[in-house]
Amino acid sequence: MSTTTSSLTRSDWAARLLKPQYFIYYMFMLVLAGFALFLNDTGFFSLANFMNIVRQTAPITIMAVGLSFALAVGHIDLSIGSVVALSAIVGAILLQYVGVPLAIAGALLSGVLVGLINGFLIERLKVSSLLITLGTMGIITGISRQVSGLESIPIIDPLFRSLLGNGDLLGVPVLLWWTLSFALIGYLVMNKLVFGRHLLAVGGNPEAARAMGLRTENIRIKALVMCSLCAAIAGLLYAGRMAGARYTLGEADLLTVIAAVAIGGTSLFGGRVSIIGAVIGSWLMGLINNGLILSGFSTDEQMITRGLILITAVAIGAREAKNA
Amino acid sequence: MLRNELSQTILEVKEITKRFGGVEALRGVSFKVNKGEVVGLLGDNGAGKSTLVRCISGIHPPDEGEILIAGKAVKLDSPMDARKAGIETVFQDLAIIPEFDVVQNLYLNREILSTNPVLRWLGWLDAKAMAKRSQKSLNRLSSRIPSLSEKIVNLSGGQRQAVAIARAVSWGAEIVIMDEPTAALGVEQSAQVNELIKLISSQGVAVLLISHNMQHIMETCDRAVVLYQGRSSADVAIRDVDKNALVSLITGASGSLLAESA
Ligand SMILES: Nc1ncnc2c1ncn2[C@@H]1O[C@H](COP(=O)(O)OP(=O)(O)OP(=O)(O)O)[C@@H](O)[C@H]1O
Ligand SMILES: [Mg+2]
């Protein structure tokens, strides 16, 4: 009951600096320093390489921001990887008939649609988001494979490719602009806007949120739409950078995105979100991937590493939850 | 301790019934609460107290009967309806968000938005204004909450109750309903909550208090309404009874006793 406020002692400072939400920054710097030491002759520690990492990671970062919305309300969305492919394929096919704006709109609409379907099914059937989105993931992947005939659909439109892929704006890659824009939007929504406040309330204590008059079902559906929409944008960015769409896009991203978000300090059980953590987490995943490649590790070993990171992050999160 | 008996009735409940499938949780409950009065709602486990509270706070509307606020019949189909009618409920399980701080909880779903029209349209929160006004409303309650920016998870049970009660009265509620506010609290913290109840009633707020703690009821309430198997079976002024009399009313050992004061 009594709280004494005296000047901070040394151990208080230690406790502050060791707060779990700072874990991601220490981890990031540790990994960076580690690779910089071991790979000092490979050009790892160069602006060009870091730009490269940020560009390659852009879709992951945006998906991580999107997944934060779903996690805020206490949902998980396993269908994001499949939405990446769907959106890219829809965009690429539409580009054969219509201009860039309509193609983008169509691709984004496919994402919104998936979010709405996920949301309505979860609320109607009162089934966990894990199972529903596992189901929609299967369905969407099947549709993408069928529609594309397992072929890659090339994109030749130069505007699309530069706007969503390899273009520059003011000397900075567009992919970095996209990343920063979505990080900023996600941060503002979650921390400054009433919508984010309500998302976190629903995730933090749904009964209380309802008792205070929040329309919890609507809020949860909106969160899933935001999540899917971000995945659709990620799909467009892949399509832009790779100059084509393929059903395999985003296939292996689910693990990376969840690990990035979890290690960034967002609770996988709702109510606590760190957008900055998710962005740094995604860059950490990109950094590790890049470092492992330069160190000569195989794709398989990279995958094993990602799995280990996720488990570590979840273990830390669980310990923190017990202490709270 | 008893306030002016001629004072105005703020809440009246008339012949309320509520069925859940085959279970008749409420079979005819009637009573009145006056402005600034603290009324204890007593009854054994399963007597229907929580069900009655949910009817009055709009969580589930009654099957039959009427609820009148200041003499006017109201239809309470949602918690928002009840809130607009001036009824605030402090729930048994405290409807607060543990990961939110005190201010965020006080203003949940009633957030103050920026005055800038563009930001306002976006739903931009005015955190400063909310912190300032929270400070005011908590000062009024001579609050024991250490810091407004403290997360609820870091507060004690008594402090959490204080936040929930502060939220109820800071919205200008005329009727505050509390379902076992001290059930999970120790002696000292219960006393603090009692103090808070007396304080808000002295400010003209009517309080409907559910408690199994007879000592608590004797100390804080002006009147007690007893539910027995879904019916209001007694309505007595606290100054006219002792603990044992209340207990026998609750267990149904003594017959129906409806005080003229009601
Ligand atoms: N949602 C519900 N569905 C079915 N039956 C219910 C429901 N809510 C309450 N009941 C029943 O209605 C009766 C009254 O319950 P209520 O919770 O109102 O009692 P109470 O007086 O608050 O008891 P306690 O002192 O234990 O909190 C009980 O028989 C209970 O089982
Ligand atoms: Mg009860």
Side-chain angles (χ1 to χ4, degrees):
Chain A
M1 177 97 232
S2 67
T3 38
T4 49
T5 42
S6 58
S7 59
L8 291 166
T9 65
R10 189 169 296 171
S11 64
D12 286 338
W13 277 112
R16 267 193 188 188
L17 288 175
L18 288 176
K19 268 190 182 170
Q21 59 259 47
Y22 298 144
F23 179 79
I24 177 72
Y25 302 108
Y26 299 134
M27 183 90 175
F28 189 85
M29 287 187 288
L30 204 71
V31 169
L32 190 63
F35 278 130
L37 275 179
F38 287 113
L39 297 169
N40 62 355
D41 50 349
T42 59
F44 169 83
F45 203 86
S46 64
L47 187 64
N49 189 41
F50 292 149
M51 274 301 179
N52 189 30
I53 292 173
V54 169
R55 281 179 44 221
Q56 283 180 349
T57 316
I60 300 289
T61 311
I62 291 172
M63 274 192 269
V65 170
L67 186 64
S68 301
F69 281 84
L71 291 171
V73 298
H75 280 335
I76 182 87
D77 187 347
L78 301 183
S79 68
I80 48 176
S82 64
V83 171
V84 165
L86 178 73
S87 151
I89 289 171
V90 168
I93 291 178
L94 282 178
L95 264 184
Q96 298 169 350
Y97 305 99
V98 297
V100 172
L102 278 180
I104 292 178
L108 297 185
L109 198 67
S110 71
V112 168
L113 209 64
V114 172
L116 281 173
I117 292 171
N118 280 339
F120 276 116
L121 286 177
I122 292 165
E123 297 302 332
R124 267 294 136 76
L125 303 177
K126 307 264 176 239
V127 185
S128 82
S129 52
L130 186 90
L131 296 173
I132 294 290
T133 57
L134 185 64
T136 49
M137 174 178 81
I139 295 169
I140 296 164
T141 305
I143 291 174
S144 295
R145 292 170 66 110
Q146 195 161 51
V147 167
S148 68
L150 304 187
E151 299 287 333
S152 158
I153 305 165
I155 292 175
I156 39 175
D157 188 301
L159 175 64
F160 187 94
R161 282 166 60 174
S162 93
L163 186 67
L164 297 158
N166 297 320
D168 282 298
L169 182 66
L170 305 173
V172 176
V174 285
L175 288 175
L176 181 54
W177 284 115
W178 285 119
T179 300
L180 294 179
S181 310
F182 279 92
L184 184 67
I185 291 171
Y187 177 82
L188 292 180
V189 170
M190 212 52 95
N191 295 286
K192 300 289 175 192
L193 301 192
V194 70
F195 177 53
R197 183 68 55 86
H198 289 176
L199 292 177
L200 293 167
V202 169
N205 184 350
E207 301 303 321
R210 193 171 308 121
M212 291 313 292
L214 292 181
R215 306 184 58 184
T216 52
E217 292 84 4
N218 286 7
I219 292 171
R220 278 195 293 253
I221 292 173
K222 283 182 195 162
L224 284 174
V225 169
M226 297 290 283
C227 180
S228 265
L229 182 62
C230 286
I233 291 162
L236 289 173
L237 296 186
Y238 269 127
R241 183 158 58 87
M242 309 214 164
R246 206 175 143 71
Y247 69 94
T248 51
L249 287 181
E251 207 175 41
D253 287 348
L254 184 63
L255 176 60
T256 315
V257 172
I258 295 178
V261 171
I263 206 156
T266 290
S267 162
L268 295 183
F269 308 102
R272 186 160 41 80
V273 164
S274 168
I275 294 287
I276 297 177
V279 172
I280 307 272
S282 69
W283 286 344
L284 178 63
M285 299 305 288
L287 200 66
I288 291 173
N289 226 20
N290 180 273
L292 290 179
I293 292 169
L294 291 179
S295 313
F297 285 94
S298 69
T299 321
D300 314 337
E301 286 153 339
Q302 294 161 31
M303 212 156 167
I304 292 169
T305 313
R306 280 196 291 268
L308 288 175
I309 292 172
L310 175 61
I311 291 171
T312 312
V314 171
I316 292 167
R319 206 191 56 191
E320 190 196 330
K322 234 179 272 164
N323 292 346
Chain B
M1 184 134 164
L2 190 71
R3 275 165 205 89
N4 185 0
E5 288 180 19
L6 297 174
S7 58
Q8 174 193 353
T9 301
I10 183 74
L11 168 69
E12 180 168 8
V13 168
K14 271 188 184 165
E15 286 302 318
I16 281 194
T17 65
K18 181 76 192 176
R19 234 167 274 113
F20 295 106
V23 184
E24 275 192 293
L26 300 175
R27 331 172 181 210
V29 175
S30 305
F31 65 91
K32 289 181 188 176
V33 180
N34 293 330
K35 255 194 167 160
E37 195 179 25
V38 184
V39 174
L41 186 60
L42 309 183
D44 221 341
N45 292 119
K49 305 180 294 294
S50 295
T51 305
L52 178 63
V53 165
R54 288 200 199 97
C55 289
I56 303 174
S57 55
I59 292 172
H60 47 221
D63 295 333
E64 292 159 56
E66 266 191 325
I67 297 170
L68 296 94
I69 307 289
K72 263 200 301 216
V74 287
K75 215 167 158 313
L76 308 174
D77 290 330
S78 74
M80 272 333 245
D81 289 350
R83 197 155 291 142
K84 279 181 204 135
I87 303 170
E88 288 284 344
T89 310
V90 177
F91 292 95
Q92 201 161 3
D93 48 5
L94 290 186
I96 48 183
I97 315 290
E99 282 287 336
F100 279 15
D101 67 26
V102 175
V103 178
Q104 290 172 337
N105 266 293
L106 285 179
Y107 279 88
L108 180 55
N109 204 21
R110 292 187 268 213
E111 293 84 358
I112 300 177
L113 298 182
S114 164
T115 47
N116 177 315
V118 177
L119 293 182
R120 193 179 185 82
W121 180 80
L122 286 172
W124 197 281
L125 298 165
D126 189 343
K128 258 192 205 152
M130 289 189 272
K132 219 162 142 191
R133 287 207 212 165
S134 305
Q135 191 67 59
K136 254 191 210 158
S137 59
L138 289 180
N139 281 346
R140 202 170 64 118
L141 297 174
S142 59
S143 148
R144 295 164 188 280
I145 296 154
S147 155
L148 290 180
S149 54
E150 195 64 73
K151 277 189 184 185
I152 296 296
V153 280
N154 300 328
L155 299 185
S156 73
Q159 290 170 329
R160 291 179 195 202
Q161 277 296 344
V163 172
I165 295 171
R167 178 171 64 191
V169 296
S170 65
W171 293 100
E174 294 183 280
I175 303 156
V176 173
I177 306 173
M178 302 187 202
D179 196 348
E180 308 204 38
T182 56
L185 301 184
V187 177
E188 193 196 337
Q189 297 194 358
S190 300
Q192 286 164 12
V193 171
N194 284 355
E195 232 172 81
L196 208 48
I197 292 172
K198 283 184 195 160
L199 185 68
I200 65 173
S201 82
S202 74
Q203 294 170 354
V205 177
V207 178
L208 186 61
L209 173 68
I210 298 181
S211 177
H212 285 288
N213 182 335
M214 287 309 122
Q215 191 60 36
H216 189 180
I217 294 287
M218 299 298 297
E219 279 168 11
T220 33
C221 295
D222 303 311
R223 207 146 50 75
V225 172
V226 181
L227 294 192
Y228 183 72
Q229 296 181 352
R231 282 200 179 83
S232 40
S233 64
D235 187 335
V236 295
I238 290 294
R239 59 167 180 198
D240 297 340
V241 291
D242 60 10
K243 255 200 235 180
N244 293 335
L246 281 183
V247 171
S248 59
L249 285 172
I250 289 167
T251 55
S254 68
S256 186
L257 172 59
L258 287 165
E260 62 290 348
S261 71

